[in-house]
Amino acid sequence: MLNGALTGIFWGAVILFLWWLGRRAPARPVSAVADWPEQAYSSYTEEFDLEIRARDLPALLDADGTAGESPSGDFERDIDRRREAYLAARAHGISRLVEFRPPKPPASVCLLIDLSGSMAKRLPEVLGEVRAISEWLTKHESNVAVYGFTTRGWRGGPVRKKWLADGSPEYPGRLCALVHIVVSDFGSPGGDDDWDALLRTDILRENVDGEALRWAADRLVQERTPNKMLVVLSDGAPVDDATLAANGNSFLFKDMVEAMSEIEKREHITPIGIGLDYRVSEFYPQSGFVEEGGSLIQAMIPFLDGTATGGTRTEG
């Protein structure tokens, strides 16, 4: 009798876990169509796309009905990890920058963070270092902004639902809603509530890099400084499962390459990629690499000093 009860409890727990996982994990493409080489990049609809201040993300999640607990189980612990990384960076990491020259003023620097689900594990430390870097740049007369990008819901969210209701036309273009996030803007620094909101792992979903790059570049180009740097922090290639399943596996990759080509042609913008456990040299003409546990600040030193060459690698 006892063994039977234990068996029932075990299988009940398995079923509950699979249900929980299904609510939070992205759907993988199960019947991806072939790539269509002539297909121009497009979005099925931009009706649900948002640009939002980071501090307003909790209200958005509540309004969408997608708020959930952090998979790490401890939101407060993640806040502590971010603060500890920030203090450590200020006490030790930033000291490495002293011997280097900051970007020649006047300069504008945009730090763009990939907020996809795979970033959850290392995000507190990344945010702590990014905040310390942004403050150091500001202290040395650079104009600084910190942005992020993710999507609104798993499995394409409201866009895919609309597409299905419309009869699922072929090659529909982007099938997810974008969320572009302002953490700290030019001339308007972010507060603790902005930085802490990014640790809500229920906002970490998919990453559509091409459109995020264009969005950040459009904001950066408005700054009236001769030197502009767009620094992208990412741990992987662009992915949105609903989009790739309906448009082919190279759809988002091709648009990211096109976006980079467009940005490189813009006057005074220098695009830089920093790969977090992922090499981004195939995307960015200037790039750095940080292994897990490595120093983001150390990886960025050559670029902040203006002496970097493509393929710079930092391990820690």
Side-chain angles (χ1 to χ4, degrees):
M1 179 70 70
L2 180 59
N3 287 340
L6 291 174
T7 300
I9 292 172
F10 170 78
W11 285 111
V14 169
I15 292 170
L16 182 62
F17 172 76
L18 292 175
W19 172 84
W20 176 88
L21 189 64
R23 285 172 58 88
R24 287 163 171 76
R28 307 307 304 172
V30 293
S31 59
V33 299
D35 289 320
W36 178 19
E38 292 77 24
Q39 182 185 14
Y41 186 82
S42 64
S43 57
Y44 188 68
T45 178
E46 298 179 357
E47 175 184 356
F48 306 102
D49 294 349
L50 286 176
E51 177 184 306
I52 189 170
R53 190 82 194 200
R55 67 189 66 160
D56 296 325
L57 285 167
L60 170 65
L61 294 169
D62 289 339
D64 281 353
T66 57
E69 293 181 2
S70 166
S72 70
D74 196 340
F75 178 61
E76 295 300 326
R77 183 188 64 191
D78 288 344
I79 290 177
D80 289 341
R81 285 171 57 198
R82 179 191 64 75
R83 290 173 178 167
E84 288 169 5
Y86 166 71
L87 293 173
R90 288 191 61 183
H92 306 294
I94 292 298
S95 64
R96 302 174 188 174
L97 295 172
V98 172
E99 61 187 279
F100 294 90
R101 301 183 307 275
K104 184 178 179 180
S108 295
V109 181
C110 175
L111 302 166
L112 179 64
I113 307 172
D114 167 5
L115 295 174
S116 55
S118 56
M119 287 283 289
K121 181 179 178 181
R122 69 185 306 162
L123 190 58
E125 287 71 29
V126 168
L127 293 178
E129 287 198 86
V130 168
R131 188 171 190 179
I133 291 168
S134 66
E135 290 180 354
W136 180 83
L137 288 167
T138 300
K139 180 180 177 181
H140 288 84
E141 302 181 57
S142 291
N143 202 14
V144 183
V146 180
Y147 302 145
F149 62 101
T150 183
T151 59
R152 194 173 177 182
W154 291 118
R155 305 179 183 88
V159 177
R160 184 171 180 271
K161 291 179 181 178
K162 177 178 175 61
W163 172 69
L164 290 171
D166 292 344
S168 308
E170 291 186 337
Y171 294 100
R174 168 169 57 84
L175 274 184
C176 61
L178 305 181
V179 183
H180 291 157
I181 302 166
V182 176
V183 186
S184 178
D185 212 354
F186 296 111
S188 178
D192 285 345
D193 50 354
D194 290 295
W195 293 95
D196 291 347
L198 299 185
L199 296 173
R200 289 280 302 260
T201 50
D202 42 10
I203 72 163
L204 307 180
R205 288 165 180 151
E206 308 274 34
N207 54 304
V208 179
D209 296 53
E211 291 191 70
L213 285 165
R214 292 188 184 93
W215 170 72
D218 285 344
R219 296 176 72 95
L220 177 59
V221 80
Q222 296 177 38
E223 296 305 302
R224 297 183 177 181
T225 56
N227 304 312
K228 301 179 178 69
M229 296 171 60
L230 175 56
V231 184
V232 184
L233 312 177
S234 177
D235 71 341
V239 172
D240 174 68
D241 289 338
T243 297
L244 299 184
N247 296 275
N249 289 329
S250 68
F251 182 74
L252 295 176
F253 173 84
K254 289 190 298 183
D255 183 60
M256 180 178 179
V257 172
E258 179 62 29
M260 277 303 306
S261 177
E262 295 169 9
I263 292 169
E264 285 186 86
K265 295 173 184 176
R266 285 191 164 189
E267 191 174 4
H268 304 309
I269 293 184
T270 302
I272 297 166
I274 304 293
L276 307 175
D277 270 338
Y278 177 78
R279 300 190 183 280
V280 296
S281 55
E282 64 179 313
F283 303 119
Y284 299 93
Q286 295 190 60
S287 64
F289 175 71
V290 186
E291 290 185 344
E292 185 172 359
S295 170
L296 175 60
I297 290 176
Q298 186 67 31
M300 290 185 63
I301 282 175
F303 305 107
L304 299 179
D305 188 43
T307 62
T309 57
T312 298
R313 173 178 175 165
T314 298
E315 298 181 1

